[in-house]
Amino acid sequence: MPVQKLPFFTQMETGDYYTMELYHDHANQRLRMDDYRGNIKKAIDRALVIAKEQDLQK
């Protein structure tokens, strides 16, 4: 699912083993995980994929 390139926004992401809240900050090339529940390894792996897809560096 493509995501708009707004300067910043929050996103709830739910997978089979986790739920997490992500803060996208395109102005500072940052993806921040504000909250998660479930399997942290799977949540981090998914966050890294999202960061790479959106060319976020931090």
Side-chain angles (χ1 to χ4, degrees):
M1 160 179 39
V3 178
Q4 293 179 353
K5 285 251 182 170
L6 300 173
F8 57 88
F9 63 94
T10 59
Q11 168 191 5
M12 291 299 294
E13 173 88 15
T14 302
D16 290 336
Y17 303 102
Y18 63 86
T19 298
M20 63 181 164
E21 180 180 354
L22 299 172
Y23 178 81
H24 297 249
D25 181 356
H26 289 278
N28 294 304
Q29 297 182 328
R30 183 182 316 261
L31 180 67
R32 185 179 74 214
M33 186 185 301
D34 286 340
D35 189 24
Y36 78 92
R37 293 190 175 122
N39 186 316
I40 185 63
K41 175 154 178 21
K42 294 202 181 278
I44 290 172
D45 289 346
R46 177 64 181 139
L48 290 172
V49 168
I50 292 169
K52 185 175 182 178
E53 288 175 350
Q54 296 192 25
D55 198 30
L56 299 171
Q57 305 298 315
K58 301 176 189 173

Short mmCIF file of all heavy atoms in Angstrom, two decimals:
data_model
loop_
_atom_site.label_atom_id
_atom_site.label_comp_id
_atom_site.label_asym_id
_atom_site.label_seq_id
_atom_site.Cartn_x
_atom_site.Cartn_y
_atom_site.Cartn_z
N MET A 1 0.84 -1.17 0.00
CA MET A 1 0.00 0.00 0.00
C MET A 1 0.89 1.24 0.00
O MET A 1 1.70 1.41 0.90
CB MET A 1 -0.89 -0.04 1.25
CG MET A 1 -1.44 1.29 1.63
SD MET A 1 -2.52 1.35 3.07
CE MET A 1 -1.82 0.24 4.23
N PRO A 2 0.79 2.11 -1.02
CA PRO A 2 1.63 3.32 -1.05
C PRO A 2 1.18 4.31 0.02
O PRO A 2 0.00 4.42 0.35
CB PRO A 2 1.39 3.89 -2.45
CG PRO A 2 0.19 3.21 -2.98
CD PRO A 2 -0.02 1.95 -2.19
N VAL A 3 2.16 5.00 0.58
CA VAL A 3 1.90 5.98 1.63
C VAL A 3 2.24 7.35 1.09
O VAL A 3 3.25 7.53 0.41
CB VAL A 3 2.76 5.66 2.88
CG1 VAL A 3 2.55 6.71 3.96
CG2 VAL A 3 2.43 4.28 3.40
N GLN A 4 1.38 8.33 1.39
CA GLN A 4 1.64 9.70 0.93
C GLN A 4 2.90 10.24 1.61
O GLN A 4 3.19 9.92 2.74
CB GLN A 4 0.47 10.60 1.28
CG GLN A 4 -0.79 10.27 0.55
CD GLN A 4 -1.93 11.20 0.94
OE1 GLN A 4 -1.80 12.00 1.85
NE2 GLN A 4 -3.03 11.08 0.24
N LYS A 5 3.63 11.10 0.90
CA LYS A 5 4.82 11.71 1.45
C LYS A 5 4.46 13.03 2.12
O LYS A 5 4.81 14.10 1.65
CB LYS A 5 5.86 11.93 0.35
CG LYS A 5 6.53 10.67 -0.06
CD LYS A 5 7.93 10.66 0.42
CE LYS A 5 8.60 9.39 -0.04
NZ LYS A 5 9.99 9.36 0.16
N LEU A 6 3.71 12.97 3.21
CA LEU A 6 3.43 14.14 4.02
C LEU A 6 4.65 14.41 4.89
O LEU A 6 5.45 13.50 5.14
CB LEU A 6 2.20 13.87 4.89
CG LEU A 6 0.90 13.55 4.14
CD1 LEU A 6 -0.18 13.13 5.12
CD2 LEU A 6 0.45 14.74 3.33
N PRO A 7 4.82 15.63 5.40
CA PRO A 7 5.99 15.90 6.24
C PRO A 7 6.07 14.97 7.45
O PRO A 7 7.14 14.52 7.82
CB PRO A 7 5.81 17.34 6.67
CG PRO A 7 4.86 17.94 5.71
CD PRO A 7 4.00 16.81 5.19
N PHE A 8 4.92 14.65 8.05
CA PHE A 8 4.90 13.71 9.16
C PHE A 8 3.48 13.19 9.35
O PHE A 8 2.51 13.86 9.00
CB PHE A 8 5.41 14.34 10.46
CG PHE A 8 4.65 15.57 10.87
CD1 PHE A 8 3.52 15.46 11.65
CD2 PHE A 8 5.06 16.82 10.45
CE1 PHE A 8 2.81 16.58 12.02
CE2 PHE A 8 4.36 17.95 10.81
CZ PHE A 8 3.23 17.83 11.60
N PHE A 9 3.35 11.98 9.86
CA PHE A 9 2.06 11.40 10.18
C PHE A 9 2.27 10.15 11.02
O PHE A 9 3.37 9.62 11.10
CB PHE A 9 1.23 11.08 8.93
CG PHE A 9 1.85 10.05 8.03
CD1 PHE A 9 1.51 8.72 8.15
CD2 PHE A 9 2.76 10.42 7.05
CE1 PHE A 9 2.08 7.76 7.30
CE2 PHE A 9 3.33 9.48 6.20
CZ PHE A 9 2.98 8.15 6.33
N THR A 10 1.21 9.69 11.68
CA THR A 10 1.28 8.46 12.46
C THR A 10 0.52 7.36 11.72
O THR A 10 -0.37 7.64 10.92
CB THR A 10 0.70 8.62 13.87
OG1 THR A 10 -0.65 9.03 13.76
CG2 THR A 10 1.49 9.62 14.68
N GLN A 11 0.90 6.12 12.00
CA GLN A 11 0.30 4.96 11.34
C GLN A 11 0.22 3.83 12.35
O GLN A 11 1.17 3.57 13.08
CB GLN A 11 1.18 4.54 10.16
CG GLN A 11 0.84 3.21 9.57
CD GLN A 11 1.90 2.70 8.59
OE1 GLN A 11 2.94 3.32 8.42
NE2 GLN A 11 1.63 1.57 7.98
N MET A 12 -0.91 3.16 12.38
CA MET A 12 -1.04 1.93 13.15
C MET A 12 -0.81 0.77 12.18
O MET A 12 -1.40 0.74 11.11
CB MET A 12 -2.43 1.80 13.78
CG MET A 12 -2.69 2.80 14.89
SD MET A 12 -1.56 2.65 16.29
CE MET A 12 -1.99 1.05 16.93
N GLU A 13 0.05 -0.14 12.55
CA GLU A 13 0.38 -1.30 11.72
C GLU A 13 0.10 -2.55 12.54
O GLU A 13 0.56 -2.66 13.68
CB GLU A 13 1.86 -1.24 11.33
CG GLU A 13 2.37 -2.45 10.62
CD GLU A 13 2.19 -2.40 9.12
OE1 GLU A 13 1.93 -1.33 8.57
OE2 GLU A 13 2.33 -3.46 8.49
N THR A 14 -0.66 -3.48 11.98
CA THR A 14 -0.98 -4.72 12.67
C THR A 14 -0.56 -5.90 11.81
O THR A 14 -0.93 -5.98 10.64
CB THR A 14 -2.50 -4.81 12.95
OG1 THR A 14 -2.88 -3.68 13.73
CG2 THR A 14 -2.84 -6.07 13.71
N GLY A 15 0.21 -6.78 12.39
CA GLY A 15 0.62 -8.01 11.72
C GLY A 15 0.05 -9.20 12.46
O GLY A 15 -0.75 -9.05 13.39
N ASP A 16 0.47 -10.39 12.09
CA ASP A 16 -0.03 -11.60 12.74
C ASP A 16 0.41 -11.68 14.21
O ASP A 16 -0.31 -12.22 15.04
CB ASP A 16 0.46 -12.85 12.01
CG ASP A 16 -0.19 -13.00 10.64
OD1 ASP A 16 -1.30 -12.46 10.44
OD2 ASP A 16 0.41 -13.67 9.79
N TYR A 17 1.59 -11.13 14.53
CA TYR A 17 2.16 -11.29 15.86
C TYR A 17 2.45 -9.98 16.58
O TYR A 17 3.10 -9.98 17.62
CB TYR A 17 3.47 -12.10 15.76
CG TYR A 17 3.27 -13.44 15.11
CD1 TYR A 17 3.64 -13.65 13.79
CD2 TYR A 17 2.70 -14.48 15.81
CE1 TYR A 17 3.44 -14.88 13.19
CE2 TYR A 17 2.50 -15.72 15.22
CZ TYR A 17 2.88 -15.91 13.90
OH TYR A 17 2.67 -17.12 13.32
N TYR A 18 2.00 -8.86 16.05
CA TYR A 18 2.32 -7.57 16.66
C TYR A 18 1.31 -6.50 16.24
O TYR A 18 0.60 -6.65 15.25
CB TYR A 18 3.71 -7.10 16.25
CG TYR A 18 3.82 -6.86 14.76
CD1 TYR A 18 3.46 -5.64 14.21
CD2 TYR A 18 4.22 -7.86 13.90
CE1 TYR A 18 3.50 -5.43 12.83
CE2 TYR A 18 4.28 -7.67 12.54
CZ TYR A 18 3.91 -6.45 12.02
OH TYR A 18 3.95 -6.25 10.66
N THR A 19 1.27 -5.45 17.01
CA THR A 19 0.59 -4.20 16.67
C THR A 19 1.54 -3.10 17.08
O THR A 19 2.13 -3.15 18.16
CB THR A 19 -0.74 -4.06 17.44
OG1 THR A 19 -1.60 -5.12 17.05
CG2 THR A 19 -1.42 -2.74 17.13
N MET A 20 1.71 -2.10 16.22
CA MET A 20 2.63 -1.01 16.56
C MET A 20 2.13 0.31 16.01
O MET A 20 1.37 0.34 15.04
CB MET A 20 4.03 -1.29 16.06
CG MET A 20 4.17 -1.40 14.58
SD MET A 20 5.87 -1.77 14.12
CE MET A 20 5.65 -2.29 12.43
N GLU A 21 2.54 1.38 16.66
CA GLU A 21 2.23 2.73 16.21
C GLU A 21 3.53 3.35 15.72
O GLU A 21 4.52 3.41 16.46
CB GLU A 21 1.65 3.56 17.34
CG GLU A 21 1.31 4.97 16.93
CD GLU A 21 0.73 5.78 18.07
OE1 GLU A 21 0.47 5.21 19.15
OE2 GLU A 21 0.55 6.99 17.87
N LEU A 22 3.53 3.78 14.47
CA LEU A 22 4.73 4.36 13.87
C LEU A 22 4.51 5.84 13.59
O LEU A 22 3.43 6.25 13.18
CB LEU A 22 5.06 3.66 12.55
CG LEU A 22 5.37 2.18 12.65
CD1 LEU A 22 5.47 1.58 11.26
CD2 LEU A 22 6.64 1.95 13.44
N TYR A 23 5.54 6.63 13.79
CA TYR A 23 5.53 8.05 13.48
C TYR A 23 6.48 8.26 12.32
O TYR A 23 7.68 8.01 12.44
CB TYR A 23 5.98 8.86 14.70
CG TYR A 23 6.03 10.34 14.47
CD1 TYR A 23 4.89 11.12 14.53
CD2 TYR A 23 7.24 10.97 14.19
CE1 TYR A 23 4.94 12.49 14.32
CE2 TYR A 23 7.30 12.33 13.98
CZ TYR A 23 6.16 13.09 14.05
OH TYR A 23 6.21 14.45 13.84
N HIS A 24 5.95 8.67 11.18
CA HIS A 24 6.76 8.92 9.97
C HIS A 24 7.13 10.41 9.96
O HIS A 24 6.25 11.26 9.97
CB HIS A 24 5.94 8.63 8.72
CG HIS A 24 5.51 7.21 8.58
ND1 HIS A 24 6.02 6.39 7.62
CD2 HIS A 24 4.61 6.47 9.28
CE1 HIS A 24 5.44 5.21 7.72
NE2 HIS A 24 4.59 5.23 8.72
N ASP A 25 8.41 10.71 9.94
CA ASP A 25 8.90 12.09 9.91
C ASP A 25 9.79 12.23 8.68
O ASP A 25 10.99 12.01 8.74
CB ASP A 25 9.66 12.39 11.19
CG ASP A 25 10.19 13.81 11.27
OD1 ASP A 25 10.03 14.57 10.29
OD2 ASP A 25 10.76 14.16 12.32
N HIS A 26 9.18 12.58 7.55
CA HIS A 26 9.93 12.67 6.31
C HIS A 26 10.86 13.87 6.27
O HIS A 26 11.89 13.83 5.60
CB HIS A 26 8.97 12.70 5.11
CG HIS A 26 8.32 11.38 4.87
ND1 HIS A 26 8.93 10.36 4.20
CD2 HIS A 26 7.12 10.89 5.27
CE1 HIS A 26 8.14 9.31 4.17
NE2 HIS A 26 7.03 9.60 4.81
N ALA A 27 10.55 14.92 7.00
CA ALA A 27 11.42 16.10 7.03
C ALA A 27 12.78 15.75 7.62
O ALA A 27 13.80 16.27 7.19
CB ALA A 27 10.76 17.22 7.84
N ASN A 28 12.80 14.83 8.59
CA ASN A 28 14.06 14.42 9.24
C ASN A 28 14.48 13.01 8.87
O ASN A 28 15.37 12.45 9.49
CB ASN A 28 13.90 14.53 10.76
CG ASN A 28 13.73 15.95 11.20
OD1 ASN A 28 14.57 16.80 10.90
ND2 ASN A 28 12.64 16.25 11.89
N GLN A 29 13.84 12.41 7.88
CA GLN A 29 14.14 11.06 7.40
C GLN A 29 14.12 10.03 8.54
O GLN A 29 15.00 9.20 8.67
CB GLN A 29 15.48 11.01 6.68
CG GLN A 29 15.53 11.85 5.44
CD GLN A 29 16.86 11.74 4.75
OE1 GLN A 29 17.90 11.57 5.39
NE2 GLN A 29 16.83 11.82 3.44
N ARG A 30 13.08 10.10 9.38
CA ARG A 30 13.03 9.27 10.57
C ARG A 30 11.72 8.48 10.64
O ARG A 30 10.66 8.99 10.30
CB ARG A 30 13.12 10.19 11.79
CG ARG A 30 13.14 9.51 13.11
CD ARG A 30 13.19 10.53 14.25
NE ARG A 30 14.13 11.59 14.01
CZ ARG A 30 15.36 11.67 14.51
NH1 ARG A 30 15.80 10.71 15.29
NH2 ARG A 30 16.14 12.68 14.25
N LEU A 31 11.82 7.24 11.09
CA LEU A 31 10.66 6.42 11.40
C LEU A 31 10.80 6.03 12.87
O LEU A 31 11.79 5.41 13.26
CB LEU A 31 10.59 5.16 10.53
CG LEU A 31 9.41 4.25 10.80
CD1 LEU A 31 8.10 4.93 10.39
CD2 LEU A 31 9.56 2.94 10.04
N ARG A 32 9.84 6.41 13.67
CA ARG A 32 9.91 6.15 15.12
C ARG A 32 8.77 5.23 15.52
O ARG A 32 7.62 5.44 15.14
CB ARG A 32 9.80 7.49 15.85
CG ARG A 32 9.97 7.37 17.35
CD ARG A 32 9.89 8.72 18.01
NE ARG A 32 8.49 9.16 18.02
CZ ARG A 32 8.11 10.43 17.91
NH1 ARG A 32 8.99 11.39 17.74
NH2 ARG A 32 6.83 10.75 17.95
N MET A 33 9.10 4.21 16.28
CA MET A 33 8.07 3.31 16.82
C MET A 33 7.69 3.85 18.19
O MET A 33 8.48 3.83 19.13
CB MET A 33 8.61 1.88 16.93
CG MET A 33 7.56 0.88 17.34
SD MET A 33 8.18 -0.80 17.62
CE MET A 33 8.89 -1.21 16.04
N ASP A 34 6.46 4.36 18.31
CA ASP A 34 6.01 4.95 19.56
C ASP A 34 5.44 3.92 20.53
O ASP A 34 5.52 4.11 21.74
CB ASP A 34 4.97 6.04 19.30
CG ASP A 34 5.59 7.29 18.73
OD1 ASP A 34 6.81 7.49 18.89
OD2 ASP A 34 4.85 8.08 18.13
N ASP A 35 4.86 2.86 20.03
CA ASP A 35 4.24 1.86 20.89
C ASP A 35 4.19 0.54 20.13
O ASP A 35 4.10 0.53 18.91
CB ASP A 35 2.82 2.30 21.27
CG ASP A 35 2.20 1.43 22.35
OD1 ASP A 35 2.95 0.79 23.12
OD2 ASP A 35 0.96 1.38 22.41
N TYR A 36 4.27 -0.56 20.84
CA TYR A 36 4.11 -1.87 20.20
C TYR A 36 3.54 -2.85 21.22
O TYR A 36 3.67 -2.66 22.42
CB TYR A 36 5.43 -2.39 19.63
CG TYR A 36 6.33 -2.97 20.68
CD1 TYR A 36 6.30 -4.33 20.98
CD2 TYR A 36 7.20 -2.17 21.40
CE1 TYR A 36 7.11 -4.86 21.96
CE2 TYR A 36 8.02 -2.69 22.38
CZ TYR A 36 7.97 -4.04 22.66
OH TYR A 36 8.76 -4.57 23.64
N ARG A 37 2.94 -3.88 20.71
CA ARG A 37 2.46 -5.01 21.51
C ARG A 37 2.74 -6.27 20.71
O ARG A 37 2.57 -6.30 19.51
CB ARG A 37 0.97 -4.90 21.78
CG ARG A 37 0.65 -3.73 22.67
CD ARG A 37 -0.78 -3.77 23.13
NE ARG A 37 -0.95 -2.67 24.06
CZ ARG A 37 -1.82 -1.69 23.91
NH1 ARG A 37 -2.63 -1.70 22.89
NH2 ARG A 37 -1.89 -0.74 24.79
N GLY A 38 3.17 -7.28 21.41
CA GLY A 38 3.41 -8.56 20.73
C GLY A 38 4.89 -8.83 20.53
O GLY A 38 5.73 -8.44 21.34
N ASN A 39 5.20 -9.48 19.45
CA ASN A 39 6.56 -9.94 19.14
C ASN A 39 7.41 -8.77 18.64
O ASN A 39 7.24 -8.29 17.53
CB ASN A 39 6.47 -11.03 18.07
CG ASN A 39 7.80 -11.67 17.80
OD1 ASN A 39 8.81 -11.00 17.68
ND2 ASN A 39 7.79 -12.99 17.65
N ILE A 40 8.34 -8.30 19.48
CA ILE A 40 9.15 -7.13 19.14
C ILE A 40 10.04 -7.38 17.93
O ILE A 40 10.25 -6.49 17.11
CB ILE A 40 9.97 -6.64 20.35
CG1 ILE A 40 10.71 -5.33 20.04
CG2 ILE A 40 10.97 -7.68 20.80
CD1 ILE A 40 9.83 -4.16 19.74
N LYS A 41 10.58 -8.59 17.79
CA LYS A 41 11.46 -8.86 16.65
C LYS A 41 10.70 -8.71 15.33
O LYS A 41 11.18 -8.09 14.40
CB LYS A 41 12.06 -10.26 16.75
CG LYS A 41 12.87 -10.62 15.50
CD LYS A 41 13.92 -11.61 15.75
CE LYS A 41 14.72 -12.02 14.55
NZ LYS A 41 14.78 -11.19 13.40
N LYS A 42 9.50 -9.26 15.26
CA LYS A 42 8.70 -9.15 14.03
C LYS A 42 8.28 -7.70 13.79
O LYS A 42 8.25 -7.25 12.65
CB LYS A 42 7.50 -10.07 14.09
CG LYS A 42 7.91 -11.54 14.09
CD LYS A 42 6.80 -12.43 13.63
CE LYS A 42 7.23 -13.87 13.67
NZ LYS A 42 8.00 -14.29 12.54
N ALA A 43 7.98 -6.96 14.85
CA ALA A 43 7.62 -5.55 14.71
C ALA A 43 8.80 -4.73 14.18
O ALA A 43 8.64 -3.91 13.27
CB ALA A 43 7.15 -4.99 16.05
N ILE A 44 9.99 -4.97 14.71
CA ILE A 44 11.18 -4.26 14.25
C ILE A 44 11.48 -4.62 12.80
O ILE A 44 11.79 -3.75 11.98
CB ILE A 44 12.39 -4.55 15.15
CG1 ILE A 44 12.18 -3.88 16.51
CG2 ILE A 44 13.69 -4.09 14.50
CD1 ILE A 44 13.21 -4.25 17.55
N ASP A 45 11.40 -5.90 12.46
CA ASP A 45 11.64 -6.32 11.08
C ASP A 45 10.69 -5.60 10.12
O ASP A 45 11.11 -5.10 9.06
CB ASP A 45 11.47 -7.83 10.92
CG ASP A 45 12.58 -8.63 11.59
OD1 ASP A 45 13.63 -8.03 11.94
OD2 ASP A 45 12.39 -9.84 11.79
N ARG A 46 9.42 -5.50 10.48
CA ARG A 46 8.44 -4.81 9.63
C ARG A 46 8.74 -3.31 9.56
O ARG A 46 8.64 -2.71 8.49
CB ARG A 46 7.03 -5.07 10.15
CG ARG A 46 5.97 -4.34 9.38
CD ARG A 46 5.87 -4.82 7.94
NE ARG A 46 4.85 -4.05 7.26
CZ ARG A 46 4.94 -3.59 6.02
NH1 ARG A 46 5.99 -3.87 5.27
NH2 ARG A 46 3.98 -2.88 5.50
N ALA A 47 9.10 -2.70 10.68
CA ALA A 47 9.44 -1.27 10.70
C ALA A 47 10.64 -0.99 9.79
O ALA A 47 10.66 0.02 9.08
CB ALA A 47 9.72 -0.80 12.12
N LEU A 48 11.61 -1.87 9.78
CA LEU A 48 12.77 -1.69 8.90
C LEU A 48 12.38 -1.78 7.43
O LEU A 48 12.90 -1.03 6.60
CB LEU A 48 13.85 -2.73 9.23
CG LEU A 48 14.55 -2.53 10.57
CD1 LEU A 48 15.45 -3.72 10.89
CD2 LEU A 48 15.34 -1.23 10.59
N VAL A 49 11.45 -2.66 7.10
CA VAL A 49 10.96 -2.77 5.72
C VAL A 49 10.25 -1.47 5.32
O VAL A 49 10.49 -0.93 4.23
CB VAL A 49 10.02 -3.99 5.56
CG1 VAL A 49 9.29 -3.94 4.23
CG2 VAL A 49 10.80 -5.28 5.69
N ILE A 50 9.41 -0.96 6.19
CA ILE A 50 8.70 0.29 5.91
C ILE A 50 9.68 1.44 5.74
O ILE A 50 9.55 2.24 4.81
CB ILE A 50 7.68 0.60 7.02
CG1 ILE A 50 6.55 -0.42 6.99
CG2 ILE A 50 7.13 2.02 6.90
CD1 ILE A 50 5.63 -0.37 8.20
N ALA A 51 10.68 1.51 6.62
CA ALA A 51 11.68 2.59 6.52
C ALA A 51 12.43 2.51 5.19
O ALA A 51 12.66 3.53 4.55
CB ALA A 51 12.66 2.50 7.67
N LYS A 52 12.78 1.32 4.77
CA LYS A 52 13.49 1.16 3.50
C LYS A 52 12.60 1.54 2.32
O LYS A 52 13.05 2.21 1.40
CB LYS A 52 13.99 -0.27 3.36
CG LYS A 52 14.84 -0.49 2.14
CD LYS A 52 15.41 -1.88 2.08
CE LYS A 52 16.28 -2.03 0.86
NZ LYS A 52 16.91 -3.33 0.77
N GLU A 53 11.35 1.12 2.35
CA GLU A 53 10.41 1.45 1.26
C GLU A 53 10.24 2.95 1.10
O GLU A 53 10.04 3.44 -0.01
CB GLU A 53 9.04 0.83 1.54
CG GLU A 53 8.99 -0.66 1.39
CD GLU A 53 7.65 -1.24 1.81
OE1 GLU A 53 6.80 -0.51 2.39
OE2 GLU A 53 7.45 -2.45 1.56
N GLN A 54 10.30 3.68 2.20
CA GLN A 54 10.08 5.13 2.16
C GLN A 54 11.37 5.93 2.18
O GLN A 54 11.36 7.14 2.33
CB GLN A 54 9.17 5.53 3.32
CG GLN A 54 7.81 4.90 3.14
CD GLN A 54 6.81 5.50 4.08
OE1 GLN A 54 6.94 6.62 4.52
NE2 GLN A 54 5.79 4.74 4.38
N ASP A 55 12.50 5.24 2.09
CA ASP A 55 13.82 5.87 2.07
C ASP A 55 14.07 6.73 3.31
O ASP A 55 14.60 7.83 3.24
CB ASP A 55 13.98 6.70 0.79
CG ASP A 55 15.45 7.01 0.50
OD1 ASP A 55 16.30 6.20 0.88
OD2 ASP A 55 15.73 8.07 -0.08
N LEU A 56 13.67 6.19 4.46
CA LEU A 56 13.93 6.87 5.73
C LEU A 56 15.23 6.31 6.29
O LEU A 56 15.46 5.11 6.26
CB LEU A 56 12.75 6.66 6.69
CG LEU A 56 11.43 7.21 6.18
CD1 LEU A 56 10.29 6.75 7.09
CD2 LEU A 56 11.47 8.72 6.10
N GLN A 57 16.06 7.16 6.87
CA GLN A 57 17.41 6.77 7.26
C GLN A 57 17.58 6.55 8.76
O GLN A 57 18.57 5.96 9.19
CB GLN A 57 18.41 7.83 6.80
CG GLN A 57 18.34 8.11 5.31
CD GLN A 57 18.67 6.90 4.47
OE1 GLN A 57 19.64 6.20 4.74
NE2 GLN A 57 17.86 6.63 3.47
N LYS A 58 16.69 7.07 9.58
CA LYS A 58 16.91 6.99 11.04
C LYS A 58 15.78 6.22 11.70
O LYS A 58 14.68 6.20 11.26
CB LYS A 58 16.92 8.40 11.64
CG LYS A 58 17.99 9.27 11.06
CD LYS A 58 17.87 10.67 11.61
CE LYS A 58 18.78 11.62 10.88
NZ LYS A 58 18.58 12.97 11.26
#
